[in-house]
Amino acid sequence: MYHYTDFDAAFLKERNAQFRAQVERRIDGSLTEDEFKPLRLMNGLYLQLHAYMLRVAIPYGTLNSAQMDTLAMIADKWDKGYGHFTTRQNIQYNWPELRDVPDMLDALGAVNMHAIQTSGNTIRNVTADHFAGAAADEVADPRPIAELIRQWSTDHPEFQFLPRKFKVAVSGASADRAVIKAHDIGLQIVEQDGEIGYKVIIGGGLGRTPMIGKVLYDFVKSEDLLPALEAIVSVYNLLGRRDNKYKARIKITVHENGIEDIRARVDARYKLIRPQFTGVDQQMLSRIEADFAVPQFKTATEAPYHHARQHDPLFKSWSDTNLTEHRAPGYAIVSISLKAHGKTPGDASSSQMRIMAGLAKRYGHDELRISHEQNVILPHVHKSDLPSVYAALKAAGLGTANIGLISDIIACPGMDYCALATARSIPIAQEIATHFDALKLEHEVGPLKIKISGCINACGHHHVGHIGILGLDRAGVENYQIMLGGDGTEDAQIGERAGPGFSADEIIPAVERIVMAYLDLRSDPSETFLQAYRRLGLAPFKAALYPQKQASAA
Amino acid sequence: MARQPRERRRVQTIRKTDMTQLINDTGFVTDDWTHGFCAAGAANDCRALDLAPDADPQKIDLNTTLEMIRIDFPSSADGRGFTIARALRLRGFTGRLRARGHILADQYAMARRAGFNEVEVNDDVAARQPAAQWQYRADWKAHDYQSRLRGTAS
């Protein structure tokens, strides 16, 4: 875990004092609402449908038990006793009062946390693979470079008023669990001739115009990375469109100018910037890497784990779905589902946060992660402790065995909270989960990612869902479009639109028809939904989805 | 109802008073530049150049007679000027750099760190944001991640 330096702590204290003053100046009229808006956004404060919303950064999704306990305390003291974990590894509080926000930020600051640059047209919270430092397939831990990028992007004087928001994600493994190809900049740690470097991908994004990122550089050395990033964002700051916010993201800049033109501009800019970086940043990176040293793993018998699997069918089911292979012998990565059937995806109560913090402290080397799929991870748990961990989770309503299954749904807040939404997302996710749970089909269906957005801005990543659902407003009535075959991994793919949308009443049966078609069509139970879709294409699923059209055409 | 704030913003962005206030690290100061400004592409004996926010900093002729460059900020939400300033500094311009237009006290530290020497704002902004609010950010060298990463922190 990264430990704040004196510099980091002093910076944060000063920044919070500045924001406290800005809030006062807004209240006394020195700042107009239009002027205050970008300032509050730089500190994570949104104005939503019903109230302000504070979005707190969880840099690269990593936190310790004291930080999780503080998130719980804030939920109790200044909100309604819960928080919402987001697809960008943040936590959102939906009901703060403006005058309380400076106090909330000070409470966060006490445990080295902040809400800086979680909104606004600036470089946002840097995200990373939630299995970082634990995954068996890793080239290198992505968190040290993500922390260096956090420091570089924080309060960067050139980049606080970009044409639009700017998101960076880092993966250190061959499998992409951070959706790096759907980010403004995606970085993949790669090894070339024994040297660690970065593949730099730019111009990915979802939203109104989904685009898969393009490779700008195949290999950038570690010491060249910050000047390269600075060159990219500088070029974007001048070239990105400011006449239309829907065309302002770098994906459009790259699309309109072409990757070759962008590369030439970035190269020219890089030449000017590179001499500024004299290696001090690399010394800082070394110190950060030391902070992320591998924990002292223990050796113990795995007997309790195997015993529980033999004798407790619920534990067996949970361990089948919610565990991932760890790099250390005897250890497992635990995914705690925040997708209990019928509950709001990504929500956790303050008491659940405290339970998870306690488990991390007792069994998990004091580490927790937030995944972009809106679940919580205990990255380092010895298998002998898994029965105890599961028992505690189950008692707190956190023992749902559904990671990667049909009810492990990503859903944006939708019309229940968001001012931009055109339809509800959360109730649709809840209904899908409870419906397939009642049918007892979830485990039979196997790996299937459903992602739901309540408007075309695509916060619910519907373009990269195996089944993506987009909620729109058609003449005042909610209408849900279905996309099929999307994929947010290293094989990233934008889903295909299946056809006309469905009403809120029709969408659950529509999803059921797709799933039933898959069960009929798969070559054998080991062929996943996505594999079957790739083999067969849209047509047979479309036929199942719109049976009446088939009939009238025949 | 929802339309009203947008209308109001447009008026604020466009309205420019004739009088301006110059601000540097010492606070509100009287403008000592008396030689005027010329537009980009003017004669090459220009002493002070006015740049639009969409100027390409790579293409500005940094001839030896140039003493000052002034960059326009049409809106406090438009950050192009910060990158233009830094690009000019990286290209070796050592003269006076001035940011002019709709700039907030909260952006003063950014402007200084990006390479500006001073800021010129319209009188209506200066009236709402008195000198103390700008001086609050005159400590722009402190708490600066950029100079720390570059090893140039003072």
Side-chain angles (χ1 to χ4, degrees), chain B residues 21-31 108 117-119 129-136 138:
Chain B
Q21 176 63 57
L22 191 65
I23 303 160
N24 64 22
D25 287 356
T26 63
F28 286 8
V29 293
T30 307
D31 196 347
Y108 182 74
N117 302 96
E118 59 200 12
V119 166
Q129 305 191 346
Q133 295 187 2
W134 297 81
Q135 291 248 259
Y136 181 55

mmCIF file with all atom_site columns, all heavy atoms in Angstrom, chain B residues 21-31 108 117-119 129-136 138:
data_model
loop_
_atom_site.group_PDB
_atom_site.id
_atom_site.type_symbol
_atom_site.label_atom_id
_atom_site.label_alt_id
_atom_site.label_comp_id
_atom_site.label_asym_id
_atom_site.label_entity_id
_atom_site.label_seq_id
_atom_site.pdbx_PDB_ins_code
_atom_site.Cartn_x
_atom_site.Cartn_y
_atom_site.Cartn_z
_atom_site.occupancy
_atom_site.B_iso_or_equiv
_atom_site.pdbx_formal_charge
_atom_site.auth_seq_id
_atom_site.auth_comp_id
_atom_site.auth_asym_id
_atom_site.auth_atom_id
_atom_site.pdbx_PDB_model_num
ATOM 1   N N   . GLN B 1 21  ? -7.865  44.798 -14.828 1.00 0.00 ? 21  GLN B N   1
ATOM 2   C CA  . GLN B 1 21  ? -7.015  44.852 -13.647 1.00 0.00 ? 21  GLN B CA  1
ATOM 3   C C   . GLN B 1 21  ? -5.857  43.881 -13.846 1.00 0.00 ? 21  GLN B C   1
ATOM 4   O O   . GLN B 1 21  ? -6.070  42.714 -14.152 1.00 0.00 ? 21  GLN B O   1
ATOM 5   C CB  . GLN B 1 21  ? -7.812  44.455 -12.393 1.00 0.00 ? 21  GLN B CB  1
ATOM 6   C CG  . GLN B 1 21  ? -6.999  44.379 -11.128 1.00 0.00 ? 21  GLN B CG  1
ATOM 7   C CD  . GLN B 1 21  ? -6.416  45.733 -10.737 1.00 0.00 ? 21  GLN B CD  1
ATOM 8   O OE1 . GLN B 1 21  ? -7.129  46.710 -10.552 1.00 0.00 ? 21  GLN B OE1 1
ATOM 9   N NE2 . GLN B 1 21  ? -5.080  45.796 -10.650 1.00 0.00 ? 21  GLN B NE2 1
ATOM 10  N N   . LEU B 1 22  ? -4.653  44.375 -13.662 1.00 0.00 ? 22  LEU B N   1
ATOM 11  C CA  . LEU B 1 22  ? -3.475  43.515 -13.757 1.00 0.00 ? 22  LEU B CA  1
ATOM 12  C C   . LEU B 1 22  ? -3.150  42.959 -12.366 1.00 0.00 ? 22  LEU B C   1
ATOM 13  O O   . LEU B 1 22  ? -3.229  43.674 -11.360 1.00 0.00 ? 22  LEU B O   1
ATOM 14  C CB  . LEU B 1 22  ? -2.282  44.310 -14.311 1.00 0.00 ? 22  LEU B CB  1
ATOM 15  C CG  . LEU B 1 22  ? -1.069  43.467 -14.710 1.00 0.00 ? 22  LEU B CG  1
ATOM 16  C CD1 . LEU B 1 22  ? -1.399  42.541 -15.874 1.00 0.00 ? 22  LEU B CD1 1
ATOM 17  C CD2 . LEU B 1 22  ? 0.112   44.363 -15.065 1.00 0.00 ? 22  LEU B CD2 1
ATOM 18  N N   . ILE B 1 23  ? -2.788  41.670 -12.325 1.00 0.00 ? 23  ILE B N   1
ATOM 19  C CA  . ILE B 1 23  ? -2.530  41.007 -11.044 1.00 0.00 ? 23  ILE B CA  1
ATOM 20  C C   . ILE B 1 23  ? -1.231  40.213 -11.160 1.00 0.00 ? 23  ILE B C   1
ATOM 21  O O   . ILE B 1 23  ? -1.022  39.485 -12.142 1.00 0.00 ? 23  ILE B O   1
ATOM 22  C CB  . ILE B 1 23  ? -3.684  40.040 -10.676 1.00 0.00 ? 23  ILE B CB  1
ATOM 23  C CG1 . ILE B 1 23  ? -5.026  40.791 -10.635 1.00 0.00 ? 23  ILE B CG1 1
ATOM 24  C CG2 . ILE B 1 23  ? -3.420  39.350 -9.339  1.00 0.00 ? 23  ILE B CG2 1
ATOM 25  C CD1 . ILE B 1 23  ? -6.236  39.905 -10.761 1.00 0.00 ? 23  ILE B CD1 1
ATOM 26  N N   . ASN B 1 24  ? -0.361  40.388 -10.174 1.00 0.00 ? 24  ASN B N   1
ATOM 27  C CA  . ASN B 1 24  ? 0.819   39.523 -10.088 1.00 0.00 ? 24  ASN B CA  1
ATOM 28  C C   . ASN B 1 24  ? 0.996   39.064 -8.634  1.00 0.00 ? 24  ASN B C   1
ATOM 29  O O   . ASN B 1 24  ? 0.070   39.221 -7.829  1.00 0.00 ? 24  ASN B O   1
ATOM 30  C CB  . ASN B 1 24  ? 2.067   40.201 -10.655 1.00 0.00 ? 24  ASN B CB  1
ATOM 31  C CG  . ASN B 1 24  ? 2.477   41.438 -9.880  1.00 0.00 ? 24  ASN B CG  1
ATOM 32  O OD1 . ASN B 1 24  ? 2.124   41.591 -8.709  1.00 0.00 ? 24  ASN B OD1 1
ATOM 33  N ND2 . ASN B 1 24  ? 3.214   42.315 -10.524 1.00 0.00 ? 24  ASN B ND2 1
ATOM 34  N N   . ASP B 1 25  ? 2.161   38.486 -8.314  1.00 0.00 ? 25  ASP B N   1
ATOM 35  C CA  . ASP B 1 25  ? 2.337   37.899 -6.977  1.00 0.00 ? 25  ASP B CA  1
ATOM 36  C C   . ASP B 1 25  ? 2.182   38.926 -5.848  1.00 0.00 ? 25  ASP B C   1
ATOM 37  O O   . ASP B 1 25  ? 1.947   38.556 -4.701  1.00 0.00 ? 25  ASP B O   1
ATOM 38  C CB  . ASP B 1 25  ? 3.722   37.241 -6.853  1.00 0.00 ? 25  ASP B CB  1
ATOM 39  C CG  . ASP B 1 25  ? 3.798   35.938 -7.644  1.00 0.00 ? 25  ASP B CG  1
ATOM 40  O OD1 . ASP B 1 25  ? 2.765   35.533 -8.205  1.00 0.00 ? 25  ASP B OD1 1
ATOM 41  O OD2 . ASP B 1 25  ? 4.886   35.339 -7.692  1.00 0.00 ? 25  ASP B OD2 1
ATOM 42  N N   . THR B 1 26  ? 2.330   40.232 -6.190  1.00 0.00 ? 26  THR B N   1
ATOM 43  C CA  . THR B 1 26  ? 2.211   41.241 -5.138  1.00 0.00 ? 26  THR B CA  1
ATOM 44  C C   . THR B 1 26  ? 0.777   41.735 -4.970  1.00 0.00 ? 26  THR B C   1
ATOM 45  O O   . THR B 1 26  ? 0.487   42.503 -4.066  1.00 0.00 ? 26  THR B O   1
ATOM 46  C CB  . THR B 1 26  ? 3.120   42.461 -5.438  1.00 0.00 ? 26  THR B CB  1
ATOM 47  O OG1 . THR B 1 26  ? 2.672   43.064 -6.663  1.00 0.00 ? 26  THR B OG1 1
ATOM 48  C CG2 . THR B 1 26  ? 4.577   42.040 -5.570  1.00 0.00 ? 26  THR B CG2 1
ATOM 49  N N   . GLY B 1 27  ? -0.125  41.290 -5.849  1.00 0.00 ? 27  GLY B N   1
ATOM 50  C CA  . GLY B 1 27  ? -1.524  41.688 -5.726  1.00 0.00 ? 27  GLY B CA  1
ATOM 51  C C   . GLY B 1 27  ? -1.976  42.474 -6.941  1.00 0.00 ? 27  GLY B C   1
ATOM 52  O O   . GLY B 1 27  ? -1.480  42.264 -8.051  1.00 0.00 ? 27  GLY B O   1
ATOM 53  N N   . PHE B 1 28  ? -2.929  43.393 -6.741  1.00 0.00 ? 28  PHE B N   1
ATOM 54  C CA  . PHE B 1 28  ? -3.409  44.238 -7.836  1.00 0.00 ? 28  PHE B CA  1
ATOM 55  C C   . PHE B 1 28  ? -2.364  45.314 -8.118  1.00 0.00 ? 28  PHE B C   1
ATOM 56  O O   . PHE B 1 28  ? -1.946  46.028 -7.198  1.00 0.00 ? 28  PHE B O   1
ATOM 57  C CB  . PHE B 1 28  ? -4.731  44.906 -7.452  1.00 0.00 ? 28  PHE B CB  1
ATOM 58  C CG  . PHE B 1 28  ? -5.920  43.958 -7.474  1.00 0.00 ? 28  PHE B CG  1
ATOM 59  C CD1 . PHE B 1 28  ? -5.755  42.591 -7.658  1.00 0.00 ? 28  PHE B CD1 1
ATOM 60  C CD2 . PHE B 1 28  ? -7.214  44.456 -7.322  1.00 0.00 ? 28  PHE B CD2 1
ATOM 61  C CE1 . PHE B 1 28  ? -6.846  41.734 -7.685  1.00 0.00 ? 28  PHE B CE1 1
ATOM 62  C CE2 . PHE B 1 28  ? -8.315  43.603 -7.350  1.00 0.00 ? 28  PHE B CE2 1
ATOM 63  C CZ  . PHE B 1 28  ? -8.130  42.241 -7.529  1.00 0.00 ? 28  PHE B CZ  1
ATOM 64  N N   . VAL B 1 29  ? -1.956  45.429 -9.374  1.00 0.00 ? 29  VAL B N   1
ATOM 65  C CA  . VAL B 1 29  ? -0.935  46.408 -9.721  1.00 0.00 ? 29  VAL B CA  1
ATOM 66  C C   . VAL B 1 29  ? -1.392  47.222 -10.938 1.00 0.00 ? 29  VAL B C   1
ATOM 67  O O   . VAL B 1 29  ? -2.271  46.806 -11.691 1.00 0.00 ? 29  VAL B O   1
ATOM 68  C CB  . VAL B 1 29  ? 0.424   45.736 -10.035 1.00 0.00 ? 29  VAL B CB  1
ATOM 69  C CG1 . VAL B 1 29  ? 1.005   45.090 -8.783  1.00 0.00 ? 29  VAL B CG1 1
ATOM 70  C CG2 . VAL B 1 29  ? 0.285   44.707 -11.149 1.00 0.00 ? 29  VAL B CG2 1
ATOM 71  N N   . THR B 1 30  ? -0.749  48.374 -11.118 1.00 0.00 ? 30  THR B N   1
ATOM 72  C CA  . THR B 1 30  ? -1.043  49.216 -12.283 1.00 0.00 ? 30  THR B CA  1
ATOM 73  C C   . THR B 1 30  ? -0.266  48.690 -13.478 1.00 0.00 ? 30  THR B C   1
ATOM 74  O O   . THR B 1 30  ? 0.907   48.325 -13.356 1.00 0.00 ? 30  THR B O   1
ATOM 75  C CB  . THR B 1 30  ? -0.609  50.666 -11.997 1.00 0.00 ? 30  THR B CB  1
ATOM 76  O OG1 . THR B 1 30  ? -1.223  51.065 -10.774 1.00 0.00 ? 30  THR B OG1 1
ATOM 77  C CG2 . THR B 1 30  ? -1.043  51.586 -13.117 1.00 0.00 ? 30  THR B CG2 1
ATOM 78  N N   . ASP B 1 31  ? -0.936  48.633 -14.621 1.00 0.00 ? 31  ASP B N   1
ATOM 79  C CA  . ASP B 1 31  ? -0.286  48.118 -15.827 1.00 0.00 ? 31  ASP B CA  1
ATOM 80  C C   . ASP B 1 31  ? 0.811   49.082 -16.280 1.00 0.00 ? 31  ASP B C   1
ATOM 81  O O   . ASP B 1 31  ? 0.552   50.257 -16.548 1.00 0.00 ? 31  ASP B O   1
ATOM 82  C CB  . ASP B 1 31  ? -1.340  47.937 -16.933 1.00 0.00 ? 31  ASP B CB  1
ATOM 83  C CG  . ASP B 1 31  ? -0.819  47.056 -18.059 1.00 0.00 ? 31  ASP B CG  1
ATOM 84  O OD1 . ASP B 1 31  ? 0.403   46.797 -18.102 1.00 0.00 ? 31  ASP B OD1 1
ATOM 85  O OD2 . ASP B 1 31  ? -1.644  46.630 -18.892 1.00 0.00 ? 31  ASP B OD2 1
ATOM 86  N N   . TYR B 1 108 ? -5.072  31.187 -10.478 1.00 0.00 ? 108 TYR B N   1
ATOM 87  C CA  . TYR B 1 108 ? -3.837  31.983 -10.499 1.00 0.00 ? 108 TYR B CA  1
ATOM 88  C C   . TYR B 1 108 ? -2.595  31.098 -10.393 1.00 0.00 ? 108 TYR B C   1
ATOM 89  O O   . TYR B 1 108 ? -1.625  31.262 -11.147 1.00 0.00 ? 108 TYR B O   1
ATOM 90  C CB  . TYR B 1 108 ? -3.861  33.024 -9.372  1.00 0.00 ? 108 TYR B CB  1
ATOM 91  C CG  . TYR B 1 108 ? -2.628  33.897 -9.385  1.00 0.00 ? 108 TYR B CG  1
ATOM 92  C CD1 . TYR B 1 108 ? -2.482  34.891 -10.352 1.00 0.00 ? 108 TYR B CD1 1
ATOM 93  C CD2 . TYR B 1 108 ? -1.597  33.714 -8.469  1.00 0.00 ? 108 TYR B CD2 1
ATOM 94  C CE1 . TYR B 1 108 ? -1.337  35.675 -10.400 1.00 0.00 ? 108 TYR B CE1 1
ATOM 95  C CE2 . TYR B 1 108 ? -0.448  34.489 -8.502  1.00 0.00 ? 108 TYR B CE2 1
ATOM 96  C CZ  . TYR B 1 108 ? -0.328  35.476 -9.470  1.00 0.00 ? 108 TYR B CZ  1
ATOM 97  O OH  . TYR B 1 108 ? 0.798   36.242 -9.525  1.00 0.00 ? 108 TYR B OH  1
ATOM 98  N N   . ASN B 1 117 ? 3.565   35.198 -16.165 1.00 0.00 ? 117 ASN B N   1
ATOM 99  C CA  . ASN B 1 117 ? 4.081   36.092 -15.134 1.00 0.00 ? 117 ASN B CA  1
ATOM 100 C C   . ASN B 1 117 ? 2.972   36.823 -14.413 1.00 0.00 ? 117 ASN B C   1
ATOM 101 O O   . ASN B 1 117 ? 3.114   37.204 -13.257 1.00 0.00 ? 117 ASN B O   1
ATOM 102 C CB  . ASN B 1 117 ? 5.004   37.160 -15.751 1.00 0.00 ? 117 ASN B CB  1
ATOM 103 C CG  . ASN B 1 117 ? 6.158   36.551 -16.492 1.00 0.00 ? 117 ASN B CG  1
ATOM 104 O OD1 . ASN B 1 117 ? 6.081   36.382 -17.715 1.00 0.00 ? 117 ASN B OD1 1
ATOM 105 N ND2 . ASN B 1 117 ? 7.192   36.192 -15.778 1.00 0.00 ? 117 ASN B ND2 1
ATOM 106 N N   . GLU B 1 118 ? 1.854   37.025 -15.147 1.00 0.00 ? 118 GLU B N   1
ATOM 107 C CA  . GLU B 1 118 ? 0.820   37.900 -14.610 1.00 0.00 ? 118 GLU B CA  1
ATOM 108 C C   . GLU B 1 118 ? -0.506  37.618 -15.296 1.00 0.00 ? 118 GLU B C   1
ATOM 109 O O   . GLU B 1 118 ? -0.555  36.920 -16.307 1.00 0.00 ? 118 GLU B O   1
ATOM 110 C CB  . GLU B 1 118 ? 1.221   39.366 -14.834 1.00 0.00 ? 118 GLU B CB  1
ATOM 111 C CG  . GLU B 1 118 ? 1.431   39.674 -16.311 1.00 0.00 ? 118 GLU B CG  1
ATOM 112 C CD  . GLU B 1 118 ? 2.266   40.919 -16.563 1.00 0.00 ? 118 GLU B CD  1
ATOM 113 O OE1 . GLU B 1 118 ? 2.878   41.427 -15.620 1.00 0.00 ? 118 GLU B OE1 1
ATOM 114 O OE2 . GLU B 1 118 ? 2.286   41.378 -17.715 1.00 0.00 ? 118 GLU B OE2 1
ATOM 115 N N   . VAL B 1 119 ? -1.553  38.164 -14.691 1.00 0.00 ? 119 VAL B N   1
ATOM 116 C CA  . VAL B 1 119 ? -2.910  37.900 -15.161 1.00 0.00 ? 119 VAL B CA  1
ATOM 117 C C   . VAL B 1 119 ? -3.642  39.235 -15.286 1.00 0.00 ? 119 VAL B C   1
ATOM 118 O O   . VAL B 1 119 ? -3.518  40.095 -14.418 1.00 0.00 ? 119 VAL B O   1
ATOM 119 C CB  . VAL B 1 119 ? -3.631  36.982 -14.141 1.00 0.00 ? 119 VAL B CB  1
ATOM 120 C CG1 . VAL B 1 119 ? -5.112  36.947 -14.396 1.00 0.00 ? 119 VAL B CG1 1
ATOM 121 C CG2 . VAL B 1 119 ? -3.047  35.574 -14.180 1.00 0.00 ? 119 VAL B CG2 1
ATOM 122 N N   . GLN B 1 129 ? -13.848 39.302 -7.082  1.00 0.00 ? 129 GLN B N   1
ATOM 123 C CA  . GLN B 1 129 ? -12.758 38.534 -6.490  1.00 0.00 ? 129 GLN B CA  1
ATOM 124 C C   . GLN B 1 129 ? -11.643 39.501 -6.101  1.00 0.00 ? 129 GLN B C   1
ATOM 125 O O   . GLN B 1 129 ? -10.694 39.703 -6.857  1.00 0.00 ? 129 GLN B O   1
ATOM 126 C CB  . GLN B 1 129 ? -12.263 37.481 -7.484  1.00 0.00 ? 129 GLN B CB  1
ATOM 127 C CG  . GLN B 1 129 ? -13.414 36.594 -7.958  1.00 0.00 ? 129 GLN B CG  1
ATOM 128 C CD  . GLN B 1 129 ? -12.954 35.372 -8.735  1.00 0.00 ? 129 GLN B CD  1
ATOM 129 O OE1 . GLN B 1 129 ? -11.810 35.296 -9.155  1.00 0.00 ? 129 GLN B OE1 1
ATOM 130 N NE2 . GLN B 1 129 ? -13.845 34.434 -8.908  1.00 0.00 ? 129 GLN B NE2 1
ATOM 131 N N   . PRO B 1 130 ? -11.742 40.093 -4.919  1.00 0.00 ? 130 PRO B N   1
ATOM 132 C CA  . PRO B 1 130 ? -10.781 41.113 -4.505  1.00 0.00 ? 130 PRO B CA  1
ATOM 133 C C   . PRO B 1 130 ? -9.364  40.554 -4.312  1.00 0.00 ? 130 PRO B C   1
ATOM 134 O O   . PRO B 1 130 ? -9.157  39.342 -4.330  1.00 0.00 ? 130 PRO B O   1
ATOM 135 C CB  . PRO B 1 130 ? -11.356 41.620 -3.182  1.00 0.00 ? 130 PRO B CB  1
ATOM 136 C CG  . PRO B 1 130 ? -12.344 40.602 -2.738  1.00 0.00 ? 130 PRO B CG  1
ATOM 137 C CD  . PRO B 1 130 ? -12.805 39.879 -3.940  1.00 0.00 ? 130 PRO B CD  1
ATOM 138 N N   . ALA B 1 131 ? -8.418  41.468 -4.139  1.00 0.00 ? 131 ALA B N   1
ATOM 139 C CA  . ALA B 1 131 ? -6.992  41.121 -4.143  1.00 0.00 ? 131 ALA B CA  1
ATOM 140 C C   . ALA B 1 131 ? -6.657  39.984 -3.195  1.00 0.00 ? 131 ALA B C   1
ATOM 141 O O   . ALA B 1 131 ? -5.825  39.120 -3.500  1.00 0.00 ? 131 ALA B O   1
ATOM 142 C CB  . ALA B 1 131 ? -6.169  42.364 -3.804  1.00 0.00 ? 131 ALA B CB  1
ATOM 143 N N   . ALA B 1 132 ? -7.305  39.948 -2.036  1.00 0.00 ? 132 ALA B N   1
ATOM 144 C CA  . ALA B 1 132 ? -6.978  38.929 -1.035  1.00 0.00 ? 132 ALA B CA  1
ATOM 145 C C   . ALA B 1 132 ? -7.174  37.519 -1.582  1.00 0.00 ? 132 ALA B C   1
ATOM 146 O O   . ALA B 1 132 ? -6.422  36.605 -1.253  1.00 0.00 ? 132 ALA B O   1
ATOM 147 C CB  . ALA B 1 132 ? -7.845  39.133 0.206   1.00 0.00 ? 132 ALA B CB  1
ATOM 148 N N   . GLN B 1 133 ? -8.194  37.355 -2.441  1.00 0.00 ? 133 GLN B N   1
ATOM 149 C CA  . GLN B 1 133 ? -8.459  36.013 -2.973  1.00 0.00 ? 133 GLN B CA  1
ATOM 150 C C   . GLN B 1 133 ? -7.372  35.570 -3.951  1.00 0.00 ? 133 GLN B C   1
ATOM 151 O O   . GLN B 1 133 ? -7.125  34.381 -4.110  1.00 0.00 ? 133 GLN B O   1
ATOM 152 C CB  . GLN B 1 133 ? -9.840  35.980 -3.643  1.00 0.00 ? 133 GLN B CB  1
ATOM 153 C CG  . GLN B 1 133 ? -10.956 36.208 -2.615  1.00 0.00 ? 133 GLN B CG  1
ATOM 154 C CD  . GLN B 1 133 ? -12.337 36.023 -3.202  1.00 0.00 ? 133 GLN B CD  1
ATOM 155 O OE1 . GLN B 1 133 ? -12.505 35.686 -4.372  1.00 0.00 ? 133 GLN B OE1 1
ATOM 156 N NE2 . GLN B 1 133 ? -13.345 36.229 -2.374  1.00 0.00 ? 133 GLN B NE2 1
ATOM 157 N N   . TRP B 1 134 ? -6.739  36.529 -4.602  1.00 0.00 ? 134 TRP B N   1
ATOM 158 C CA  . TRP B 1 134 ? -5.631  36.203 -5.516  1.00 0.00 ? 134 TRP B CA  1
ATOM 159 C C   . TRP B 1 134 ? -4.352  35.971 -4.722  1.00 0.00 ? 134 TRP B C   1
ATOM 160 O O   . TRP B 1 134 ? -3.582  35.066 -5.016  1.00 0.00 ? 134 TRP B O   1
ATOM 161 C CB  . TRP B 1 134 ? -5.442  37.323 -6.536  1.00 0.00 ? 134 TRP B CB  1
ATOM 162 C CG  . TRP B 1 134 ? -6.650  37.493 -7.425  1.00 0.00 ? 134 TRP B CG  1
ATOM 163 C CD1 . TRP B 1 134 ? -7.796  38.164 -7.111  1.00 0.00 ? 134 TRP B CD1 1
ATOM 164 C CD2 . TRP B 1 134 ? -6.844  36.953 -8.731  1.00 0.00 ? 134 TRP B CD2 1
ATOM 165 N NE1 . TRP B 1 134 ? -8.693  38.089 -8.152  1.00 0.00 ? 134 TRP B NE1 1
ATOM 166 C CE2 . TRP B 1 134 ? -8.139  37.355 -9.165  1.00 0.00 ? 134 TRP B CE2 1
ATOM 167 C CE3 . TRP B 1 134 ? -6.051  36.184 -9.590  1.00 0.00 ? 134 TRP B CE3 1
ATOM 168 C CZ2 . TRP B 1 134 ? -8.646  37.000 -10.410 1.00 0.00 ? 134 TRP B CZ2 1
ATOM 169 C CZ3 . TRP B 1 134 ? -6.550  35.835 -10.834 1.00 0.00 ? 134 TRP B CZ3 1
ATOM 170 C CH2 . TRP B 1 134 ? -7.839  36.244 -11.234 1.00 0.00 ? 134 TRP B CH2 1
ATOM 171 N N   . GLN B 1 135 ? -4.172  36.785 -3.719  1.00 0.00 ? 135 GLN B N   1
ATOM 172 C CA  . GLN B 1 135 ? -2.950  36.651 -2.899  1.00 0.00 ? 135 GLN B CA  1
ATOM 173 C C   . GLN B 1 135 ? -2.913  35.310 -2.158  1.00 0.00 ? 135 GLN B C   1
ATOM 174 O O   . GLN B 1 135 ? -1.863  34.765 -1.884  1.00 0.00 ? 135 GLN B O   1
ATOM 175 C CB  . GLN B 1 135 ? -2.886  37.800 -1.888  1.00 0.00 ? 135 GLN B CB  1
ATOM 176 C CG  . GLN B 1 135 ? -2.644  39.123 -2.577  1.00 0.00 ? 135 GLN B CG  1
ATOM 177 C CD  . GLN B 1 135 ? -1.281  39.683 -2.247  1.00 0.00 ? 135 GLN B CD  1
ATOM 178 O OE1 . GLN B 1 135 ? -1.180  40.565 -1.415  1.00 0.00 ? 135 GLN B OE1 1
ATOM 179 N NE2 . GLN B 1 135 ? -0.240  39.160 -2.860  1.00 0.00 ? 135 GLN B NE2 1
ATOM 180 N N   . TYR B 1 136 ? -4.119  34.778 -1.878  1.00 0.00 ? 136 TYR B N   1
ATOM 181 C CA  . TYR B 1 136 ? -4.230  33.476 -1.216  1.00 0.00 ? 136 TYR B CA  1
ATOM 182 C C   . TYR B 1 136 ? -3.514  32.401 -2.040  1.00 0.00 ? 136 TYR B C   1
ATOM 183 O O   . TYR B 1 136 ? -3.022  31.423 -1.505  1.00 0.00 ? 136 TYR B O   1
ATOM 184 C CB  . TYR B 1 136 ? -5.719  33.148 -1.043  1.00 0.00 ? 136 TYR B CB  1
ATOM 185 C CG  . TYR B 1 136 ? -6.030  31.843 -0.352  1.00 0.00 ? 136 TYR B CG  1
ATOM 186 C CD1 . TYR B 1 136 ? -5.515  31.552 0.910   1.00 0.00 ? 136 TYR B CD1 1
ATOM 187 C CD2 . TYR B 1 136 ? -6.863  30.897 -0.955  1.00 0.00 ? 136 TYR B CD2 1
ATOM 188 C CE1 . TYR B 1 136 ? -5.812  30.361 1.550   1.00 0.00 ? 136 TYR B CE1 1
ATOM 189 C CE2 . TYR B 1 136 ? -7.166  29.705 -0.324  1.00 0.00 ? 136 TYR B CE2 1
ATOM 190 C CZ  . TYR B 1 136 ? -6.634  29.443 0.930   1.00 0.00 ? 136 TYR B CZ  1
ATOM 191 O OH  . TYR B 1 136 ? -6.933  28.253 1.547   1.00 0.00 ? 136 TYR B OH  1
ATOM 192 N N   . ALA B 1 138 ? -0.922  33.149 -4.162  1.00 0.00 ? 138 ALA B N   1
ATOM 193 C CA  . ALA B 1 138 ? 0.391   33.635 -4.588  1.00 0.00 ? 138 ALA B CA  1
ATOM 194 C C   . ALA B 1 138 ? 1.509   32.697 -4.132  1.00 0.00 ? 138 ALA B C   1
ATOM 195 O O   . ALA B 1 138 ? 2.663   32.849 -4.533  1.00 0.00 ? 138 ALA B O   1
ATOM 196 C CB  . ALA B 1 138 ? 0.637   35.052 -4.049  1.00 0.00 ? 138 ALA B CB  1
#
